[in-house]
Amino acid sequence: MAEDYPVVDLDSDALAAAKLLAERRLPGIVVTDASGCPCSILPASQVVQFLVPRYVQDDPSLAGVLDESMADRVADKLGGKTVRSLLPEKPSELPRVQGDDTIVEVAAIMARLRCPLVAVMEDKRLLGVISASRLLELALTR
């Protein structure tokens, strides 16, 4: 089930990571620590949330008053930032499974953690990633 998948490390450039998510239309990306061990998943939705000002998140009706030039500048918020700055301050549990886990076990982890990706691990080594769309593809063809 696992597929090769791009990864970034905690100190990678946030704008480059966002461009990777956008260009490849990824639902998220695996984030590794300095040793190369996966430590988090950065969902694309988390990057989008980072771009939207807090006052607009609190009151979405204010989004209509922002002009397009403001929308064009949202990517500037990522300039000079690292992937680490996009992650929640309190780290969440890494969505991870073993290589021999079943579709149901993978789905249960995705559902419980509300994450579009799970890291397929063997000890601390990343074997690949299973995305929600890949999981659905496999489940629907059985």
Side-chain angles (χ1 to χ4, degrees):
M1 279 192 288
E3 302 176 292
D4 285 335
Y5 210 82
V7 300
V8 296
D9 67 49
L10 286 166
D11 296 317
S12 292
D13 179 70
L15 184 56
K19 286 180 179 179
L20 179 63
L21 287 166
E23 290 166 1
R24 293 179 137 190
R25 297 182 182 204
L26 301 172
I29 196 162
V30 175
V31 181
T32 60
D33 62 19
S35 69
C37 182
C39 61
S40 186
I41 301 288
L42 176 63
S45 59
Q46 180 74 27
V47 178
V48 170
Q49 182 179 5
F50 180 83
L51 296 176
V52 178
R54 171 61 55 200
Y55 64 89
V56 175
Q57 291 179 40
D58 293 341
D59 185 359
S61 67
L62 295 175
V65 301
L66 298 176
D67 63 16
E68 285 302 313
S69 65
M70 173 64 177
D72 292 340
R73 292 190 311 253
V74 293
D76 293 342
K77 287 185 72 175
L78 294 172
K81 302 260 191 267
T82 64
V83 167
R84 182 187 314 266
S85 68
L86 301 178
L87 296 171
E89 288 182 25
K90 181 182 175 215
S92 57
E93 179 183 343
L94 174 67
R96 64 180 288 158
V97 296
Q98 299 298 309
D100 60 352
D101 284 355
T102 67
I103 289 176
V104 175
E105 289 170 312
V106 175
I109 292 290
M110 280 183 179
R112 182 172 63 82
L113 298 177
R114 293 186 173 119
C115 192
L117 302 174
V118 295
V120 181
M121 307 284 295
E122 182 177 290
D123 297 319
K124 291 188 174 193
R125 188 170 64 94
L126 179 67
L127 300 177
V129 171
I130 301 172
S131 66
S133 57
R134 174 74 173 143
L135 182 79
L136 286 171
E137 174 187 38
L138 292 169
L140 294 171
T141 59
R142 290 185 180 243

